[in-house]
Each structure stands twice: as structure tokens, then as C-alpha cells.
Amino acid sequence: MMNRLNRELIRNGIDSKIVCAKKSPGEDDALEIRRSLPVKIAERLLDSLARRIGLNEIAYFSCLSIRKMPDFADADILHFHGLHGRFFSYLCIPAFAAKKSLVFTMHDMWAYTGHCTYSYACDKWKTGCGDCPHPEEYPAIRHDNTRLEWKLKNRVYRKAHIDIVAISNQQQQMLRESMLAHYPVHLIKNAIDTETYRPLDSAKCREELNIPPDRTVVMFGATSMSRPAKGGDLLCAALNQLPAALKETVILLSFGHGGKALADQAGIRCIDMGYVNGDENKVRLYSAADLFVLSSRAESFELVTLECMACGTPMVSFPVGAAAEMVKPGVTGYLAKKENPGDLCRGIVELVENDALRTQMGLNCRKLTETQYRQETHVQQYQKLYAEILDRRAEQTPPSE
């Protein structure tokens, strides 16, 4: 989403640059954080020691070198997206706040918890963490020092002013109950390029993917279905509960890692695409599918929700993240009771057996993304936020003598 926003800002005449630890394909203009070999070694050692006592993302002080970049000097706003990934120390946030106006888009919960990106049913992040029930959740911890890390983050944020962006209604409410509640919290939902992500001819896509034309195609997938947050176990349980006769009419279409194993356990034929790169390839998959199943226990705003709905593919999902808002029961899909594989199964059966309902849902999905989640509106909202921040700063800056 950061890359998409960057492209749209540039297209709208905004001088925007991505700063990252390492450039990804297609990020030729991105600025890399330069670190000498001795600095890399020192940071790795410090990170290793910190992680042994349960502290994450505090070792990488080389992020301060960003302040020496010419583009940083020319910038009006520094916009954070993902700061966990072993390249940025959150302890350095006040140093950046002293120089620039900061915006922080929350793509998960990490910024306001004692270590995790998703807390599931735990709400200790509201009061200070400690005695963590999910030490295995990314980024995993060996020693429970979540209360100290929560306090460190809270102290850091108290020394800086940040405009916070929530990407869903659910997340906005959580932020208002978190350590970040004293900051302005703006709601700017993720968006999709509806020209790129659009319905293609389903029969042609199936032919290109060697999918039998007489099967109902149920699609699912994630980077790793083994992660607890992705609910692979819940999906497996739901698929196992499908009627035997229905299993004979369905074919599973999976992507990412772990999908084939789930299909084998359920005894359903599966076409496993592995890791899928490129918008065109993803659009072909979504267009070939009759429905998409999102079994996640926790999400902030899963982009696959936007992508598949823009391609006219209805969803069966639990009420998490964006799906809780976009999957409208009987309109754009089936919203199952949280962590209830039996209800997830019922949703799959309902959509598989009702071709007319599924077709109408697909049309509704496309209409929803076109009217409420267009990329043009998304970038306009960010431009408006940037302008408000600059106006506020101008009002607070004393006139020069």
C-alpha cells in the first residue's frame, strides 16, 4: 500500500520518496539507509542482546542517517508506514519529530503493544501489557519483557507529535483506547486501483490456469497459512466439514505457502499457485475464482479483501479488519461468527450452492470498491491531511525577524 500511495502522490504532482532498508523490485527511486559493515555488525550484536531480554526494534540507530539525506532536508513531512523489520529503532522517533512533521499509518497493532502485531482477544495493550499470552506472535519474544517495551514506546511517543492514520473503523476505535489516544487519529481506509483490479472473463482465465470449467472454484491463501493469525487451522476444519457430495464439485485455488497441505487434509482437489507476483497474475486468479475464503483470526486491512472484491469475487470471512466492514452479509459475501469453522463452512456451502446469489454478490463487490475504495479518493485524503499539517505548522511557526 505504501508503494501504491507513493506512485499516486507522484502522479498528482507531490514530490514523494520511499526510504527503506533495501530496495524491492520496482523501487528504483527509493532511498536506501546506508550502513557501513562495522555499523551492521554492531547493530546485529545489539539486536541479538536486546531480543534475549525480550526487546524488539531498538538496536537500529543507523536510521538516524536518514536525517543527513538531501531529500530529508527538503521534505516537509515524514510519513511512517512499517517500522518493525530490523531497520529502524522506534527510540529515534523524537529525533525525527524535532525536525519534521510526522504521520504514522497503522497497518497493524505493533506500534502500541508490548511486542505483537496482533493481540487476538488480549487487551493488555490498553493498560501496559505484561504476562503476554502470545509470545510466539510476530515479532516473537524469548523473554516476556512486554511491560517494559510498552513503557518505552509510551515514553517515546510522549516526546513527539504524530498524526496517526487508522485504516479501518475497528482500528480507529482501538487507537482511541491505546497509548496513542492523545494524538489526532485520522481515518483513511486503504484503496485499490479499480482500473488494474477489475473483473476479467472467468472462462478465459480458467482456461489459462488449466482449471476444469465444470467446478466451483474456491480460492484462499496467504504468505504463510501456518501463522496463527491467518487461521489455517480454522479453514482446514471448515473444509473438512463440507458435505462429501459438495467436495466433488469444488476445486480449491490456493496461493502463498501451506495451501496444498490444507487441501490434502480436507480431501479436496487443489491447484496450488505458490507465491504470486504481479497485479496481472493476481487479477487472473481472482477472476477465475467463484468465491474467496478469508479465515484470518486477526487483520488490520487485508489487501486481498480489496483486490478480490474489485475483481467481482465475493467473500466468506470472519469479522476481522476490513472484512468486518466490506463483507456485508447477503450483499457482498458471508460473514461468519468469529473463530467458528462450522459457520465458515456454512458460508462456503451457501455461496457454492447458489449461483444466482454469488453472481449478484460479485456485482455488488465491484460496485462497493468503485464507489467507496477508489485509489483517487485515497490519495486525495492524504493530500488533504498533509495540507492541514502544513497549515497547522505555519500557524505555530513565529514570523522571522
Side-chain angles (χ1 to χ4, degrees):
M1 184 51 66
M2 177 186 68
N3 291 327
R4 292 177 182 176
L5 175 60
N6 181 62
R7 290 195 297 268
E8 287 303 305
L9 288 171
I10 293 172
R11 190 177 301 172
N12 282 268
I14 303 297
D15 184 8
S16 177
K17 292 282 178 64
I18 291 175
V19 180
C20 57
K22 186 176 181 181
K23 294 181 183 180
S24 298
E27 294 181 348
D28 297 336
D29 294 333
L31 306 172
E32 286 189 357
I33 299 175
R34 298 294 182 182
R35 295 182 292 158
S36 66
L37 183 58
V39 169
K40 289 181 180 180
I41 294 173
E43 288 186 334
R44 287 174 184 170
L45 288 173
L46 180 57
D47 182 60
S48 178
L49 291 172
R51 287 176 183 271
R52 287 183 183 180
I53 61 171
L55 297 178
N56 293 305
E57 311 297 343
I58 65 171
Y60 295 91
F61 289 97
S62 59
C63 67
L64 290 171
S65 64
I66 295 172
R67 298 184 303 170
K68 298 179 181 179
M69 295 178 177
D71 291 275
F72 179 83
D74 295 335
D76 294 301
I77 293 171
L78 186 61
H79 190 161
F80 295 139
H81 285 270
L83 295 187
H84 54 81
R86 301 190 181 189
F87 76 100
F88 192 100
S89 172
Y90 65 81
L91 299 177
C92 296
I93 288 176
F96 288 102
K99 299 288 185 180
K100 302 293 177 181
S101 297
L102 304 185
V103 176
F104 198 162
T105 295
M106 298 291 154
H107 295 286
D108 53 43
M109 295 181 65
W110 171 84
Y112 51 96
T113 70
H115 94 94
C116 63
T117 49
Y118 300 112
S119 69
Y120 305 104
C122 174
D123 62 359
K124 293 181 179 180
W125 51 271
K126 297 179 182 179
T127 56
C129 288
D131 193 19
C132 180
H134 301 293
E136 77 290 342
E137 174 58 25
Y138 176 84
I141 51 173
R142 304 181 202 175
H143 176 73
D144 189 346
N145 224 338
T146 53
R147 186 161 186 80
L148 175 58
E149 185 157 304
W150 189 96
K151 287 182 176 180
L152 284 174
K153 288 180 179 178
N154 192 33
R155 173 173 287 190
V156 164
Y157 297 141
R158 295 288 175 178
K159 295 180 178 180
H161 180 85
I162 310 173
D163 279 85
I164 305 296
V165 175
I167 58 177
S168 69
N169 293 327
Q170 187 180 73
Q171 188 187 63
Q172 185 182 43
Q173 181 57 43
M174 293 172 69
L175 283 163
R176 287 171 174 164
E177 300 177 65
S178 75
M179 67 173 78
L180 294 166
H182 61 285
Y183 286 133
V185 179
H186 312 272
L187 178 63
I188 302 179
K189 298 179 182 181
N190 285 341
I192 191 75
D193 179 355
T194 53
E195 296 299 319
T196 299
Y197 285 85
R198 67 196 190 284
L200 301 180
D201 182 86
S202 180
K204 183 178 180 181
C205 291
R206 292 187 184 197
E207 183 180 355
E208 293 173 352
L209 296 168
N210 296 316
I211 298 175
D214 59 340
R215 295 289 189 98
T216 303
V217 181
V218 177
M219 185 178 174
F220 69 94
T223 304
S224 177
M225 289 300 297
S226 63
R227 282 192 63 194
K230 299 304 177 184
D233 57 323
L234 299 174
L235 177 60
C236 186
L239 295 175
N240 272 308
Q241 294 179 43
L242 291 175
L246 188 141
K247 288 184 179 182
E248 295 299 320
T249 68
V250 164
I251 189 166
L252 300 179
L253 180 62
S254 70
F255 65 90
H257 178 73
K260 183 62 166 59
L262 291 181
D264 289 345
Q265 291 180 53
I268 305 176
R269 183 179 172 186
C270 178
I271 296 177
D272 184 21
M273 302 302 298
Y275 292 102
V276 179
N277 294 317
D279 293 332
E280 291 183 4
N281 293 326
K282 289 193 284 185
V283 169
R284 187 180 296 111
L285 292 183
Y286 294 131
S287 296
D290 288 298
L291 65 142
F292 191 100
V293 182
L294 186 70
S295 59
S296 297
R297 285 185 168 88
E299 296 288 357
S300 290
F301 201 120
E302 181 59 66
L303 289 180
V304 71
T305 304
L306 277 173
E307 292 172 350
C308 78
M309 284 195 173
C311 293
T313 307
M315 296 190 71
V316 177
S317 171
F318 293 123
V320 296
E325 301 166 26
M326 296 186 68
V327 181
K328 303 180 185 300
V331 180
T332 58
Y334 186 99
L335 207 57
K337 297 175 183 176
K338 199 167 185 179
E339 294 201 40
N340 187 325
D343 201 20
L344 195 69
C345 174
R346 280 189 288 274
I348 296 171
V349 171
E350 179 177 307
L351 268 66
V352 168
E353 292 184 339
N354 195 328
D355 294 346
L357 175 63
R358 197 173 62 242
T359 298
Q360 184 58 54
M361 284 181 172
L363 295 173
N364 295 339
C365 286
R366 177 62 184 178
K367 183 178 180 181
L368 177 69
T369 54
E370 285 185 311
T371 56
Q372 297 186 33
Y373 295 91
R374 292 180 65 86
Q375 197 160 262
E376 295 85 351
T377 303
H378 181 250
V379 72
Q380 288 168 8
Q381 289 175 314
Y382 270 112
Q383 286 182 276
K384 181 181 178 182
L385 173 59
Y386 297 154
E388 289 174 357
I389 291 171
L390 294 180
D391 288 344
R392 185 176 65 214
R393 188 170 70 188
E395 292 175 358
Q396 295 171 348
T397 302
S400 57
E401 296 182 3

